[in-house]
Amino acid sequence: GGLNRGTLLVIAWRNLWRGWRRSAIVLLAITVGLSACLLLVGWSHGLVRQMIENAVSTRLGHLVVMAQGYQKNPDVMRNLPDDGREIAAALERFAGAHASPRLAGDGLLQSARRSSRVVILGVDPLREARVSVVASALVEGHMPQAAAAESARRLPGIAIGAAMAERLRIRLGDKVVAHVPGEVGLGAFRGIFRTASSEFDRAVAYVRLEDAQHLLALPGRVTEVAVSLDDSDALPALRAHAIAELALRDPGAAIEVLTWQEREPRLAAMLALMASMSWIIYAAVFVAMAFGIANALLMMVYERIREFG
């Protein structure tokens, strides 16, 4: 009639304790193997997610709207009108979206001792604080303040990364000179930020949007409107919303809507490669764990082969 389930459980329990050392070794092998697999999966996924978060929360944004052709040829003359206000308002009609108009231009930042190439990024400090982590990454000073808070006698404020401040050998409050093609502007060093990307800290200087427009001789113009999402999974829906809203606003506008993957295809390709390589590593660890457990089980079978016979 066969054995019922209760009897099988009793036999199995007694068998475990009959060779308790061997059972403990098998259990330990399974525990260590699964823990290693889970740890590796969690670490690799966390690494990829952190790299994406660092890129999105500093310069890229989840989505960006820019003039047609600016992605291929980042010339400041390819820009957007009206300080990007209408585009930002259209994008923020999507739930959980925060938009920040920016004016970006290549320049040279010079102190009394050294100089360094830099991307001069003009922003609205209040809007930018909702899109990027730079405002919350300040370790000294503050971001360039709003126009109402700036005295006419004070120099325009500039915030740079800690790595850039070290390279230029300047301290908070020192005067720096910003050079762009055909123009020279004097500014005061107001804030130091330190993000997770040292390359970003060495490459970008923040000024007020009005100061960047004055320096680059582009009043009322911006080169991009960056958008950050509360929920990154809503990016495809935001992209569809942006395309529909902007087409409705101005059907013939020469603009393009890009996700962070489209804006930085090399980063997206590198992350995809890392994800593919991770599965190979997972398979190798799992196979090694499986062979270890199989070896212990085979030894148990061979030692008791006469009993089974």
Side-chain angles (χ1 to χ4, degrees):
L3 298 174
N4 59 39
R5 182 178 299 175
T7 304
L8 287 174
L9 288 175
V10 170
I11 293 173
W13 178 253
R14 289 179 178 176
N15 188 59
L16 285 176
W17 285 102
R18 181 179 178 183
W20 65 270
R21 292 184 181 85
R22 190 182 298 107
S23 299
I25 292 172
V26 174
L27 180 61
L28 182 63
I30 295 173
T31 303
V32 171
L34 288 177
S35 298
C37 285
L38 292 174
L39 182 63
L40 183 61
V41 170
W43 175 80
S44 61
H45 279 261
L47 177 64
V48 170
R49 193 172 187 87
Q50 187 61 50
M51 291 178 68
I52 294 173
E53 184 64 25
N54 290 342
V56 167
S57 63
T58 50
R59 182 71 176 91
L60 297 182
H62 288 101
L63 182 136
V64 67
V65 177
M66 54 181 58
Q68 190 75 38
Y70 183 83
Q71 170 73 358
K72 293 183 178 179
N73 180 21
D75 184 348
V76 293
M77 301 313 295
R78 300 176 186 270
N79 51 51
L80 304 171
D82 188 36
D83 287 326
R85 284 191 292 263
E86 290 187 14
I87 294 176
L91 296 172
E92 287 185 337
R93 282 196 279 272
F94 187 86
H98 310 284
S100 175
R102 297 168 173 172
L103 178 60
D106 291 332
L108 185 73
L109 206 61
Q110 184 177 16
S111 67
R113 299 176 181 85
R114 292 186 175 183
S115 61
S116 180
R117 184 179 176 182
V118 70
V119 174
I120 297 173
L121 197 62
V123 298
D124 179 331
L126 297 179
R127 281 185 170 274
E128 188 66 18
R130 295 182 295 172
V131 173
S132 76
V133 298
V134 174
S136 59
L138 289 167
V139 293
E140 288 186 65
H142 53 77
M143 288 287 283
Q145 295 178 350
E150 292 283 1
S151 169
R153 297 180 180 179
R154 296 179 65 186
L155 295 173
I158 298 176
I160 64 176
M164 175 65 75
E166 185 177 344
R167 175 181 292 181
L168 296 179
R169 296 183 180 177
I170 56 177
R171 294 181 297 178
L172 209 63
D174 288 348
K175 294 179 182 179
V176 291
V177 179
H179 299 264
V180 298
E183 294 287 341
V184 176
L186 193 65
F189 180 27
R190 299 297 185 197
I192 304 175
F193 57 84
R194 181 181 288 113
T195 67
S197 172
S198 58
E199 292 184 8
F200 176 82
D201 295 350
R202 281 193 294 266
V204 179
Y206 281 86
V207 299
R208 289 185 304 152
L209 181 58
E210 297 87 346
D211 294 330
Q213 290 170 337
H214 175 74
L215 186 63
L216 295 166
L218 292 170
R221 315 295 288 192
V222 296
T223 51
E224 65 185 60
V225 178
V227 186
S228 176
L229 281 167
D230 293 337
D231 180 12
S232 59
D233 293 334
L235 181 55
L238 172 63
R239 187 177 188 277
H241 167 85
I243 292 173
E245 282 284 331
L246 297 178
L248 184 64
R249 186 186 68 87
D250 188 355
I255 59 177
E256 53 187 348
V257 179
L258 303 174
T259 63
W260 70 265
Q261 296 98 326
E262 295 167 328
R263 192 175 183 188
E264 282 293 339
R266 288 178 297 180
L267 175 61
M270 183 186 72
L271 294 175
L273 179 61
M274 288 179 60
S276 300
M277 291 296 295
S278 296
W279 285 108
I280 298 175
I281 298 173
Y282 301 158
V285 172
F286 183 81
V287 169
M289 177 191 74
F291 272 109
I293 296 172
N295 180 63
L297 292 175
L298 284 173
M299 290 301 297
M300 293 173 64
V301 171
Y302 284 139
E303 286 182 4
R304 301 178 60 191
I305 194 166
R306 292 183 178 275
E307 294 181 36
F308 296 148

